[in-house]
Amino acid sequence: MSSHDVQALLLDLAIILAVARLFGAVARALRQPAVVGEIVAGVALGPTLLGHTLDTRLFPASVDGALVSLADLGLIPFMFLLGYELDRQLIRGRERVAVSVSIGSIVLPAVLGVALGCWLAHRHHSTQPVVLALFVGAAMAVTAFPVLARILTDSGLERTRLGGLALASAALDDVVAWGLLAAVVAMAGAAAGTGGRLIFAPGYVAVLVFVLRPLLRLVVRKSGPTRLVVIVVGLVLSSLATEWLGMHLIFGAFAFGVALPRGGDLAADLVRYLQPVSVLLLPVYFVLAGRTVDLTGLGAGGLLELALVLAVAIGGKFLGTWVGAVAAGAERREASALAALMNSRGLTELVILTVGLQLRVLDGALYSLMVVMALLTTVMTGPLLRLARPHAEVPAVTAEPVPEAAAPR
């Protein structure tokens, strides 16, 4: 990079961090997750409001690569901590309801999403119509576990039966949804010519589970900087492995977090040293995601597509979750509150959509519509929960402490 490019990068980084902080604070004041403000900040700094000319001058193409790299550096520790803090104990004692809610909240929106994706693939002349349809289905099935945990904490529901059921269901939902996304990304990689490397994926999983996990048990028992360095090296190599396999680095980071043994004061050390990296750089990721949104050419056809995307995303999640909860014995008001919570997509959806854009599964127009959907479904979660939550909530007897989600947003 030239000296001019370095200056432009530093200026852009300062603008992004300052505007993201400002918009994030406004979002919190409005009782919304900070990620909502950060995405809106990106939209404000993009062509939708600034126009293409000013946007290009403010963020020249020569620094885009460096900004994306910084954003990925914030994403890796976030995905790792998200996997590490996926508490399997949340499901204990709630298996029946959690499984029923999770199945309902995944199957119906995914099926409707695939049907919508087929129609969108035809309208957008996709070169990978099957991959696009499956990708839209997976994106519709996602629930943002970190955002949900923060909303429950802010609402004082994290130790109630409703909060426990929501966290358990979202945990299962996340595991299945990430699995679906991994399969779709693998298909996209095959279409792009990197699919041949996927034959090594079982080897990667075997090494992670049967070789690295036992070795890491010895590492986590120790203390000091060496332990952290070993874990960070493993995290980077795991992210590198899935990127090389043609999937995405987020899967390597998430899988390494899930595989890392728990014990001692490790969790506190990981949060102390890795979470600040995520807190500082992750807003760059979401601002860049927002900047990619371009609604300047949205016409009647785009509005129709947006309406259908919102109908499938909201209707599929609400109806699927509600039916699953009622079928498992939940009261109707409790089922409605669960449906409101499971409709939250937030930052998890943004990560997925950005992957789809990078892999060219989504074009710019469809990506913009899906980002708007992610924003609206996240914004509506809190108000709908306040309307639907049961009047009296008692602490859940078997509830576990709500995990401090990685950099709750």
Side-chain angles (χ1 to χ4, degrees):
M1 297 178 66
S2 66
S3 176
H4 180 269
D5 289 338
V6 171
Q7 295 173 41
L9 173 63
L10 295 176
L11 176 61
D12 287 346
L13 187 59
I15 292 173
I16 288 173
L17 292 176
V19 175
R21 183 68 177 178
L22 174 62
F23 278 67
V26 172
R28 286 196 183 97
L30 296 174
R31 302 176 70 180
Q32 292 293 337
V35 66
V36 171
E38 291 165 2
I39 299 169
V40 173
V43 175
L45 292 173
T48 299
L49 294 183
L50 296 183
H52 292 279
T53 302
L54 182 57
D55 172 64
T56 303
R57 290 182 179 178
L58 189 60
F59 296 95
S62 58
V63 303
D64 281 347
L67 286 173
V68 170
S69 297
L70 288 172
D72 284 343
L73 286 177
L75 185 62
I76 288 174
F78 168 77
M79 291 303 301
F80 164 70
L81 290 173
L82 185 62
Y84 182 77
E85 294 177 346
L86 188 60
D87 191 353
R88 285 157 285 190
Q89 299 299 319
L90 289 170
I91 303 171
R92 183 171 298 173
R94 309 184 180 98
E95 292 86 350
R96 181 170 173 269
V97 180
V99 169
S100 182
V101 170
S102 184
I103 290 174
S105 69
I106 290 174
V107 173
L108 184 59
V111 170
L112 293 176
V114 169
L116 177 62
C118 292
W119 182 73
L120 290 171
H122 174 71
R123 285 179 61 87
H124 289 256
H125 308 290
S126 173
T127 58
Q128 305 178 59
V130 175
V131 175
L132 174 59
L134 293 175
F135 186 91
V136 173
M140 294 297 182
V142 166
T143 295
F145 183 86
V147 173
L148 184 147
R150 170 48 67 92
I151 291 173
L152 287 172
T153 301
D154 291 345
S155 304
L157 296 173
E158 73 276 14
R159 299 286 302 193
T160 64
R161 168 183 161 83
L162 173 62
L165 288 175
L167 287 169
S169 303
L172 280 175
D173 194 293
D174 260 14
V175 171
V176 176
W178 283 114
L180 290 174
L181 180 64
V184 175
V185 170
M187 292 179 63
T194 60
R197 298 174 184 172
L198 288 174
I199 62 173
F200 298 105
Y204 160 76
V205 174
V207 170
L208 188 63
V209 174
F210 299 111
V211 179
L212 288 183
R213 183 173 171 82
L215 292 176
L216 288 170
R217 283 199 184 97
L218 301 176
V219 174
V220 298
R221 295 173 187 168
K222 301 181 181 297
S223 59
T226 301
R227 177 176 66 175
L228 184 63
V229 170
V230 171
I231 291 174
V232 171
V233 169
L235 167 61
V236 172
L237 291 178
S238 181
S239 302
L240 172 63
T242 54
E243 184 75 17
W244 181 83
L245 286 171
M247 297 172 68
H248 197 279
L249 58 85
I250 59 174
F251 296 106
F254 184 79
F256 191 78
V258 173
L260 185 65
R262 280 68 171 163
D265 60 347
L266 178 61
D269 279 353
L270 292 177
V271 170
R272 183 183 304 118
Y273 293 109
L274 293 184
Q275 188 167 323
V277 179
S278 180
V279 170
L280 178 64
L281 294 179
L282 201 57
V284 179
Y285 187 92
F286 296 119
V287 170
L288 292 182
R291 278 196 62 244
T292 311
V293 173
D294 186 359
L295 301 176
T296 55
L298 187 66
L303 289 175
L304 172 62
E305 292 178 0
L306 178 59
L308 290 175
V309 166
L310 289 172
V312 169
I314 299 170
K317 269 290 183 183
F318 264 83
L319 183 58
T321 301
W322 192 88
V323 170
V326 171
E331 296 180 356
R332 293 190 176 187
R333 192 173 182 88
E334 183 179 53
S336 298
L338 281 170
L341 286 165
M342 296 297 286
N343 188 49
S344 175
R345 288 176 173 85
L347 73 175
T348 306
E349 184 79 3
L350 260 293
V351 172
I352 290 175
L353 296 180
T354 304
V355 171
L357 185 66
Q358 292 172 349
L359 294 175
R360 302 184 187 279
V361 176
L362 301 177
D363 60 19
L366 189 52
Y367 169 85
S368 298
L369 297 181
M370 297 289 281
V371 170
V372 172
M373 177 271 290
L375 270 174
L376 292 179
T377 54
T378 304
V379 167
M380 69 193 302
T381 300
L384 286 178
L385 175 62
R386 289 190 285 274
L387 289 174
R389 63 182 289 183
H391 296 299
E393 280 289 343
V394 296
V397 175
T398 58
E400 300 287 339
V402 176
E404 289 294 328
R409 313 213 56 80

